[in-house]
Amino acid sequence: MQQLELNSLTQKMPPPLKNTVMVIGGAEDKVHGREILHTFFMRSGGTEAKLAIIPCASREPEAIGSRYREIFQDMGAQRIEVLDIRERTEGEDPRWQEYLEQSTGVFMTGGDQLRLCALVADTPLMEKLRMKVREGSIVLAGTSAGAAVMGHHMIAGGGSGESPNRSLVDMATGLGIIPEVIVDQHFQNRNRMARLLSAIASHPNRIGVGIDEDTCAMFEADGIVEIMGKGTVTIIDPGPALYTNEGHIGPNDPLSLYNLRVHILCHGDRFNIATREVIQRS
Amino acid sequence: MQQLELNSLTQKMPPPLKNTVMVIGGAEDKVHGREILHTFFMRSGGTEAKLAIIPCASREPEAIGSRYREIFQDMGAQRIEVLDIRERTEGEDPRWQEYLEQSTGVFMTGGDQLRLCALVADTPLMEKLRMKVREGSIVLAGTSAGAAVMGHHMIAGGGSGESPNRSLVDMATGLGIIPEVIVDQHFQNRNRMARLLSAIASHPNRIGVGIDEDTCAMFEADGIVEIMGKGTVTIIDPGPALYTNEGHIGPNDPLSLYNLRVHILCHGDRFNIATREVIQRS
């Protein structure tokens, strides 16, 4: 049933959309079915879309920008602009803001999330983007580093192969598009459960969202997150009964976290971020 | 349906333990504080202990047996026997059963859990050990492979770096000392969350217990698990509201698991395995 709905959404022109934010775990299929990228393309208006690609996370913005431009052109997009911003001051360029004003879809590529934030956070361009997401006049997608920046608190880096501990994760401030979540990407692929747990211990009023490669958490206007793609999305909900020793230990000491609610979700699963409940499949 | 299974399992479960079973995540400190090994030594009777070392998981049973013998001798143990069993028929040797009858502590080393089970599962020796654990006349400890065998369902091997899926974990039958748990060891150190989740999806009436290196889950007589050591113990409780797609998908398809209760526990934390609640620290 959900499979059918999803397919029909992918294939037909979408209805007028409000506020879809596609948070992609990196390494999305760019060659074969391209399901996630095609969904972004369709939701942005299909051949009528006016797309902006923000490649600023990458150290090779030209190459990665061209790659995505070709993909969306290949799908039939007529108007695509790569916002190859190399200096913060370019975020004030009225040209980009005018283009963004007209855009129906914005795609943020992978790379380094700190680089992306350093270039665009708190610029007029980003304010414009945030406003358009909020009013529902644009579809925003971000993959890998472009996904990491979605929350207010952002995982900037970290390790794996250790017991959860505060020093296992480096936190920074993200773009705050979906402030209530902390996103981690390439999640099971790079064994990032421990670092996301460590992040949640420090920010227990957020929801951890770990997204596997070629997998997308689609945040919809109605507060529903729907999963699409090949892997899983791990939801870590600290819940009302959380206890953590986080404030009472050293940075390398192992963390306690009691009473987490965890959901492993795959294609077609849906989670209500307001009620923090998974929507049972019928 | 799963609720029914859970209830029937609860009814079939053996009575609570009467003594300590120490389930160690591998790589326990053998040189400095040796906290976990010393605790085993003391609980087994200290200098009055009569210890048996079962090195059968290892392909170098002599070397590993000697290593632990020296450690416990160094602590002051007077009577130590290494049960260096190389053939299943030796499990019937009355000599070993007589020694075990008198023993106060049994330590199972690391190695390969399938090898350990192949040599000792369902032998009279193992029946004797199981009976003595149940009646509370012996302290049992197992590290790494010696920990993996504790449940009825045993993780024999598996992978990491993938979305949870059935083929990510190889299951076998363990020694069933603590039948209600599925143990995984070297847990965060080797990024085994996804494989333990995959195991739990197939056996949702069990509790997943992932133990980090140099960390011990001490199962006590009163149904309390207390954590000791340097790392964390991850409890995965499928809980009464679990939904999983496990029965409806292919072996490589990503798993859904809704409504898991997860606890990350560290030194001094305690979990009640009967009520499935963490005991709040005072």
Side-chain angles (χ1 to χ4, degrees):
Chain A
M1 174 66 179
Q2 274 149 352
Q3 180 67 57
L4 282 175
E5 281 173 9
L6 208 62
N7 284 344
S8 67
L9 278 177
T10 318
Q11 283 154 20
K12 287 180 209 159
M13 275 298 286
L17 286 163
K18 280 180 100 176
N19 219 11
T20 299
V21 179
M22 299 179 64
V23 191
I24 308 165
E28 72 284 353
D29 178 4
K30 297 175 189 68
V31 180
H32 301 291
R34 304 194 290 205
E35 181 189 20
I36 294 168
L37 295 177
H38 195 255
T39 299
F40 166 73
F41 166 72
M42 291 305 290
R43 294 207 168 198
S44 300
T47 52
E48 300 303 309
K50 189 169 178 185
L51 301 180
I53 296 166
I54 299 180
C56 308
S58 175
R59 291 199 174 276
E60 295 183 327
E62 242 181 278
I64 202 166
S66 299
R67 180 85 195 274
Y68 281 103
R69 180 200 291 274
E70 283 162 21
I71 289 168
F72 296 126
Q73 272 174 345
D74 189 45
M75 290 177 187
Q78 312 283 323
R79 293 173 296 173
I80 308 171
E81 198 77 48
V82 178
L83 277 57
D84 186 356
I85 292 166
R86 311 270 178 118
E87 303 285 342
R88 272 186 71 85
T89 48
E90 295 179 64
E92 290 164 27
D93 189 333
R95 182 168 62 107
W96 294 134
Q97 290 174 61
E98 279 158 32
Y99 186 78
L100 206 60
E101 182 60 42
Q102 304 303 318
S103 296
T104 59
V106 170
F107 191 94
M108 298 190 291
T109 72
D112 176 349
Q113 51 265 48
L114 283 174
R115 185 182 165 87
L116 175 56
C117 287
L119 283 171
V120 303
D122 301 322
T123 61
L125 182 77
M126 190 45 56
E127 282 315 301
K128 169 75 74 181
L129 175 58
R130 192 198 314 271
M131 198 196 70
K132 285 186 69 71
V133 169
R134 204 175 297 134
E135 75 186 23
S137 59
I138 210 164
V139 174
L140 175 64
T143 187
S144 193
V149 298
M150 293 293 188
H152 171 70
H153 296 292
M154 176 178 86
I155 295 179
S160 73
E162 286 179 34
S163 308
N165 69 88
R166 279 188 354 235
S167 65
L168 192 62
V169 63
D170 302 319
M171 300 302 296
T173 301
L175 299 182
I177 303 291
I178 311 167
E180 60 266 52
V181 300
I182 297 178
V183 172
D184 209 347
Q185 66 288 351
H186 304 279
F187 188 66
Q188 294 287 4
N189 315 81
R190 298 188 188 171
N191 295 309
R192 287 175 165 175
M193 179 67 94
R195 87 175 197 183
L196 183 54
L197 287 167
S198 305
I200 286 295
S202 299
H203 303 289
N205 55 352
R206 310 289 158 157
I207 299 172
V209 179
I211 309 173
D212 295 351
E213 293 179 356
D214 199 13
T215 307
C216 175
M218 291 200 297
F219 289 75
E220 305 283 6
D222 51 2
I224 306 295
V225 186
E226 180 158 345
I227 314 310
M228 163 181 287
K230 293 284 196 303
T232 55
V233 171
T234 300
I235 304 282
I236 302 177
D237 174 7
L242 183 82
Y243 163 86
T244 175
N245 62 353
E246 193 271 338
H248 312 289
I249 56 169
N252 298 105
D253 291 336
L255 285 160
S256 289
L257 287 153
Y258 304 171
N259 303 318
L260 298 167
R261 297 189 68 201
V262 173
H263 312 284
I264 313 295
L265 307 178
C266 69
H267 190 93
D269 283 335
R270 293 186 301 157
F271 178 74
N272 186 324
I273 205 153
T275 64
R276 299 193 174 199
E277 297 289 341
V278 185
I279 298 164
Q280 290 292 330
R281 287 181 181 243
S282 48
Chain B
M1 170 73 173
Q2 272 144 357
Q3 183 64 59
L4 283 175
E5 282 171 20
L6 204 67
N7 288 342
S8 65
L9 186 89
T10 314
Q11 283 152 20
K12 277 187 286 180
M13 278 298 175
L17 292 168
K18 293 202 177 125
N19 210 337
T20 304
V21 177
M22 298 179 64
V23 190
I24 308 165
E28 72 284 353
D29 178 3
K30 297 175 190 66
V31 179
H32 302 291
R34 303 195 291 206
E35 182 190 18
I36 294 169
L37 295 177
H38 196 255
T39 299
F40 166 72
F41 166 72
M42 291 305 290
R43 294 207 171 197
S44 300
T47 54
E48 301 302 309
K50 190 170 178 183
L51 301 179
I53 296 165
I54 298 181
C56 307
S58 175
R59 291 198 175 276
E60 296 183 327
E62 243 183 275
I64 201 166
S66 298
R67 179 87 195 273
Y68 281 103
R69 181 201 291 275
E70 283 161 22
I71 289 168
F72 296 127
Q73 272 174 346
D74 189 44
M75 291 177 186
Q78 311 284 324
R79 292 173 297 173
I80 307 172
E81 198 78 48
V82 178
L83 278 56
D84 186 355
I85 292 166
R86 310 270 176 118
E87 304 285 343
R88 269 186 74 82
T89 49
E90 295 179 64
E92 290 163 25
D93 189 333
R95 183 169 59 107
W96 294 136
Q97 289 174 60
E98 279 158 32
Y99 186 79
L100 207 60
E101 181 59 41
Q102 306 302 319
S103 297
T104 59
V106 171
F107 191 94
M108 298 190 291
T109 72
D112 176 350
Q113 49 266 46
L114 283 173
R115 185 182 165 87
L116 175 56
C117 287
L119 284 171
V120 304
D122 301 322
T123 61
L125 183 78
M126 190 44 59
E127 281 315 302
K128 169 75 74 181
L129 175 59
R130 192 198 314 272
M131 198 196 71
K132 286 186 68 70
V133 170
R134 280 293 146 204
E135 74 185 22
S137 59
I138 210 163
V139 174
L140 175 63
T143 187
S144 193
V149 298
M150 292 293 188
H152 171 71
H153 296 291
M154 176 177 86
I155 295 178
S160 73
E162 287 179 33
S163 307
N165 70 88
R166 281 190 352 236
S167 65
L168 193 62
V169 64
D170 303 318
M171 299 302 295
T173 301
L175 299 182
I177 304 290
I178 311 166
E180 60 266 52
V181 301
I182 297 177
V183 173
D184 209 346
Q185 66 288 349
H186 305 279
F187 187 66
Q188 293 287 5
N189 314 81
R190 298 188 189 171
N191 295 310
R192 288 175 164 175
M193 179 68 95
R195 86 175 197 182
L196 183 55
L197 287 166
S198 305
I200 286 296
S202 298
H203 304 288
N205 54 357
R206 311 288 158 157
I207 300 172
V209 179
I211 309 173
D212 295 352
E213 293 179 356
D214 199 13
T215 308
C216 176
M218 292 201 296
F219 289 75
E220 305 283 8
D222 49 2
I224 306 297
V225 186
E226 180 159 346
I227 313 310
M228 162 181 287
K230 294 285 196 300
T232 54
V233 171
T234 301
I235 305 283
I236 302 177
D237 175 8
L242 182 82
Y243 162 85
T244 174
N245 62 354
E246 192 273 339
H248 311 289
I249 56 169
N252 298 104
D253 291 336
L255 286 160
S256 289
L257 286 153
Y258 304 172
N259 303 318
L260 298 168
R261 296 189 68 202
V262 173
H263 312 285
I264 312 295
L265 307 179
C266 70
H267 190 93
D269 283 336
R270 293 186 302 156
F271 179 73
N272 186 325
I273 204 152
T275 63
R276 301 192 173 199
E277 296 289 342
V278 185
I279 298 163
Q280 291 291 331
R281 289 181 180 242
S282 48

